[in-house]
Amino acid sequence: MTDIANKRNSFPFFLLIGILGWFAAALFSMQFTRLNLDEPWYLTASHLVMQMQLPYRDFVFTQLPLLPYVYGAILEFTGINLATGRFVSVAFSTLAVTLAIALARRAAGNWAAILTIIGLLLTPSVLCYLVIVKTYALTAALTLFALYLMFHDHPQVSSAVPVISSLASGLAAFTRISFALLTVLVFFYWIGRGKWKESGLGLTGLALPIIGFAYQSNGNFFFDVIEFHQRTTIQPFTQIVAESPKTTLVIQTLLAFTPAVMLGLVLLVIGLRSRTARDRLLSWWMAKSRANFVWLSTSIILFGVHFVTWGNLWEYQVPVYLIIIPLLAAFAAVVMQSVKRQIGVFLLFAEVMVIASLPSWFFQTNSIFWDSVSTVSVAAKQAAALAQYGTVHDQVLGVYNHLALAAGKGIPLGNEMGLFSITTELSPEEARVRKFLVETDVTRLLSECSVPFAITNTNQMLFMKSSPSGQPLKSPVQELWRAWLQKNYRIIYNDDYTTIFQRRFDKCDDGRVE
């Protein structure tokens, strides 16, 4: 039968509609997605590298360092604040979605591309976490680019393709270290294609910067990138499993990505019942078995790694979802080729994903993803209030570093990592080497009025957790900090999210007048 979605000249229209639909939805989500407290320190790192400071040596940074250099280079021209940072993520997320659509189409045709669009737009967790200032959007774009190049249509690929594909996979790991597994799989894929020299050349280009960062870090590189995550993820996971049944963790993760889950289940049922569908899938798989194997293995392994390390933080699966949904869409498109009524089967798949997405939209979005007021506008208002006081050289203590940056102010040494800046687990000597603050550092800064400004959350908490374990700080130290704030500082701004304090000059004799 004639199928409009499979006409050669019609697909650019569907592609354009899908990309524009995502871009519009991402712009909305960028405005209203709740502040993630990782965002301030990613913005801080992006600012510091443009000031010629090095991650690991000069400040704590717990990922490999591509993101701050990419975001920093862009934000150097646009100005650094939550709005501009999130818009960069919107741009990279749009690129990632475009590549996911293109990958699905290259692998299995136009129906796969259209199902990919539907699956991505129906998933609120993807719309939320791909537009905030974290590693997800950039990692997903690089990963999908590496996979896309593997599905090259011509048997004889140019030398540039394996170089670029391997480089892209390496850059994905250079953004988020867990994606190093992708780099290995892509490398072995190109070895199987007889392109090991070209692939090795792409990876060698990344090895040298990593060695350079490690050499310059004074020993902090391996602590930040490896040991920090070991203490933060693998150890607490045993406690998570002990306190919460494994089934609960599985359900939470599946609920966040229900369109893909239900599409996969429907495909499984059809595959079990239809020999024609199974034969068609097998034929399609064998035509590009190496590339399909890397694609499937990447999806399964990365999902498993992120679930085992942080089973209750399903947001880590968002970049993986962008790999899985086009793969399932490709399976669905191949199944559709085995039936006569393709429109009917397509509508079945689309309906399944729409219905499956309803729990996420109705039960999760209000409490997890979006606020009723614009997060970006609130941040701009808070930064404007802060900028009215003091000078551009004044430092701001607390976890909301993005407000200090937007107001043109400084950040105390050791406070660069925002939420993760303070430790109760390292000795004071080791904390100084690792570039963390300890409790006594914060107490000294407040009691001596060493920082002109401090920003707390609505409970007047400067810091909430100890790094690297993420355990809550004890109440006595929180009460001590509140007491020093009340004695030496005054409130200059307050809303439903933050309280901004400025030191009282009558309490701090440093020669300055109010």
Side-chain angles (χ1 to χ4, degrees):
M1 62 182 289
T2 302
D3 176 14
I4 187 171
N6 284 321
K7 288 181 179 179
R8 182 183 299 272
N9 295 327
S10 65
F11 181 73
F13 171 75
F14 288 100
L15 176 60
L16 180 61
I17 293 299
I19 294 171
L20 291 178
W22 170 268
F23 185 68
L27 286 177
F28 171 85
S29 185
M30 168 192 129
Q31 289 287 331
F32 292 94
T33 296
R34 295 176 183 273
L35 179 71
N36 186 294
L37 288 180
D38 286 0
E39 293 183 90
W41 71 265
Y42 277 118
L43 286 170
T44 303
S46 301
H47 170 72
L48 292 177
V49 297
M50 292 296 104
Q51 307 303 310
M52 306 309 294
Q53 294 194 44
L54 285 178
Y56 323 116
R57 186 192 71 182
D58 299 318
F59 61 92
V60 183
F61 193 72
T62 59
Q63 293 288 350
L64 288 174
L66 183 64
L67 182 144
Y69 284 96
V70 172
Y71 277 62
I74 299 171
L75 297 176
E76 183 77 2
F77 295 97
T78 63
I80 188 162
N81 53 59
L82 187 65
T84 55
R86 285 190 171 186
F87 187 79
V88 174
S89 292
V90 168
F92 280 119
S93 74
T94 304
L95 175 60
V97 168
T98 302
L99 288 166
I101 295 167
L103 174 61
R105 186 188 183 226
R106 176 171 277 191
N110 294 339
W111 281 124
I114 298 171
L115 288 171
T116 298
I117 296 170
I118 295 172
L120 293 175
L121 287 174
L122 285 176
T123 312
S125 56
V126 174
L127 278 169
C128 167
Y129 284 107
L130 278 187
V131 301
I132 60 177
V133 187
K134 296 189 72 168
T135 57
Y136 305 140
L138 181 57
T139 302
L142 291 165
T143 299
L144 288 161
F145 186 48
L147 293 174
Y148 176 78
L149 291 176
M150 292 194 311
F151 283 85
H152 202 277
D153 292 331
H154 302 289
Q156 297 298 324
V157 298
S158 69
S159 299
V161 172
V163 172
I164 297 173
S165 177
S166 299
L167 183 62
S169 68
L171 288 172
F174 211 52
T175 306
R176 189 165 189 82
I177 190 171
S178 58
F179 278 69
L181 296 166
L182 166 74
T183 307
V184 174
L185 289 171
V186 171
F187 177 64
F188 280 107
Y189 168 80
W190 289 113
I191 289 178
R193 293 284 299 271
K195 300 289 184 180
W196 68 270
K197 292 182 180 179
E198 293 87 344
S199 181
L201 178 63
L203 296 179
T204 302
L206 287 176
L208 296 177
I210 292 176
I211 293 171
F213 279 110
Y215 179 76
Q216 293 285 339
S217 71
N218 298 323
N220 289 340
F221 177 85
F222 292 101
F223 179 86
D224 288 4
V225 176
I226 305 297
E227 188 174 348
F228 186 96
H229 291 281
Q230 289 177 335
R231 297 191 187 187
T232 305
T233 58
I234 297 175
Q235 292 178 359
F237 180 72
T238 58
Q239 301 173 12
I240 293 168
V241 173
E243 297 170 2
S244 177
K246 290 183 180 180
T247 53
T248 301
L249 302 180
V250 173
I251 291 171
Q252 289 174 348
T253 302
L254 297 182
L255 184 63
F257 306 108
T258 45
V261 172
M262 292 307 299
L263 179 59
L265 289 176
V266 171
L267 286 170
L268 179 62
V269 171
I270 293 176
L272 290 175
R273 293 176 60 88
S274 172
R275 180 175 180 179
T276 303
R278 291 197 303 271
D279 292 342
R280 178 78 69 165
L281 279 170
L282 180 61
S283 176
W284 170 80
W285 179 274
M286 295 306 297
K288 292 186 177 179
S289 58
R290 288 196 186 98
N292 284 325
F293 176 79
V294 172
W295 195 357
L296 179 62
S297 299
T298 299
S299 303
I300 294 173
I301 294 173
L302 288 178
F303 181 89
V305 167
H306 290 119
F307 184 78
V308 168
T309 53
W310 264 123
N312 65 335
L313 284 183
W314 39 260
E315 67 172 270
Y316 291 173
Q317 304 288 6
V318 167
V320 185
Y321 184 81
L322 265 77
I323 307 171
I324 293 175
I325 196 67
L327 177 61
L328 292 175
F331 287 160
V334 174
V335 168
M336 289 170 60
Q337 296 171 12
S338 66
V339 300
K340 293 182 179 180
R341 297 181 179 180
Q342 294 185 10
I343 292 291
V345 177
F346 167 76
L347 292 175
L348 170 65
F349 288 143
E351 184 179 359
V352 164
M353 287 194 288
V354 170
I355 295 174
S357 71
L358 295 180
S360 294
W361 288 100
F362 285 103
F363 298 113
Q364 288 189 293
T365 51
N366 289 335
S367 61
I368 296 178
F369 301 129
W370 293 302
D371 210 335
S372 58
V373 296
S374 170
T375 302
V376 168
S377 298
V378 169
K381 183 179 179 181
Q382 294 165 340
L386 178 60
Q388 294 177 7
Y389 298 88
T391 71
V392 295
H393 302 294
D394 288 339
Q395 293 185 331
V396 183
L397 183 69
V399 302
Y400 299 99
N401 292 352
H402 64 296
L403 301 182
L405 296 173
K409 300 190 184 299
I411 298 166
L413 184 65
N415 194 179
E416 298 89 353
M417 208 175 173
L419 177 67
F420 304 100
S421 294
I422 192 164
T423 180
T424 60
E425 302 149 46
L426 306 179
S427 67
E429 294 76 16
E430 185 178 3
R432 279 191 287 273
V433 172
R434 304 297 188 199
K435 309 302 179 183
F436 287 96
L437 295 171
V438 295
E439 291 177 348
T440 54
D441 291 328
V442 179
T443 303
R444 174 181 53 79
L445 291 172
L446 295 175
S447 62
E448 297 176 358
C449 302
S450 298
V451 287
F453 296 94
I455 305 180
T456 68
N457 64 10
T458 52
N459 297 320
Q460 292 194 357
M461 297 172 66
L462 275 169
F463 300 95
M464 303 81 166
K465 300 177 180 180
S466 170
S467 290
S469 71
Q471 297 298 317
L473 295 174
K474 295 180 180 179
S475 297
V477 71
Q478 298 283 10
E479 294 299 328
L480 176 63
W481 292 342
R482 288 193 190 99
W484 282 117
L485 282 171
Q486 293 170 5
K487 179 180 179 180
N488 291 346
Y489 291 76
R490 61 171 184 160
I491 295 175
I492 59 172
Y493 179 86
N494 178 259
D495 60 22
D496 293 336
Y497 306 93
T498 59
T499 301
I500 302 178
F501 293 84
Q502 183 187 31
R503 65 182 178 183
R504 297 170 55 186
F505 292 94
D506 59 321
K507 297 290 184 179
C508 308
D509 186 13
D510 62 354
R512 292 174 56 177
V513 295
E514 187 171 2

